[in-house]
Amino acid sequence: MESTDDVGVNALMTLPDTVLTRLEARFEKLRPALVREHPNQWALLIYRGSKRVPVLDVWADEWDAIRAGYADPQARRFCVKQIIETDEDVFVSSLGAWH
């Protein structure tokens, strides 16, 4: 049985993440050009605040892109996406375990 705290956390987890949505929208807008110019590399998108356009940088290595995101002193949030024609779907399911 779920505690009332678990119910509140689950409700928060279903809310859309507006920052991630904004970063992904920026990537989608630029995807065709990125695929032509930087296929199979990694895009680092950095959110620095609501009034600023997300920053985009391209890296050859996924881990270098992640490290650069953490190292940026102005970054509030960031995401790293591989530059490919379409994203691969990943499905995650619960095994029914309660934590």
Side-chain angles (χ1 to χ4, degrees):
M1 174 161 220
E2 289 182 291
S3 74
T4 55
D5 290 339
D6 291 340
V7 172
V9 169
N10 288 337
L12 285 175
M13 291 175 64
T14 62
L15 295 175
D17 184 334
T18 57
V19 171
L20 183 58
T21 300
R22 185 173 178 192
L23 293 175
E24 288 185 335
R26 175 93 170 129
F27 178 79
E28 289 304 322
K29 182 178 179 181
L30 300 172
R31 186 193 294 258
L34 289 169
V35 168
R36 281 192 308 275
E37 297 169 23
H38 306 283
N40 298 313
Q41 292 188 358
W42 297 88
L44 167 63
L45 296 114
I46 300 173
Y47 176 79
R48 292 185 172 156
S50 61
K51 304 288 188 214
R52 300 172 71 182
V53 174
V55 175
L56 173 88
D57 201 1
V58 176
W59 294 82
D61 181 77
E62 177 184 16
W63 291 105
D64 288 342
I66 292 168
R67 280 189 282 276
Y70 280 115
D72 187 313
Q74 295 180 8
R76 293 188 182 175
R77 302 263 303 277
F78 71 89
C79 75
V80 173
K81 293 183 67 85
Q82 188 172 21
I83 302 171
I84 53 178
E85 297 237 0
T86 58
D87 290 331
E88 297 175 10
D89 292 330
V90 176
F91 296 96
V92 178
S93 63
S94 171
L95 299 176
W98 294 99
H99 302 281

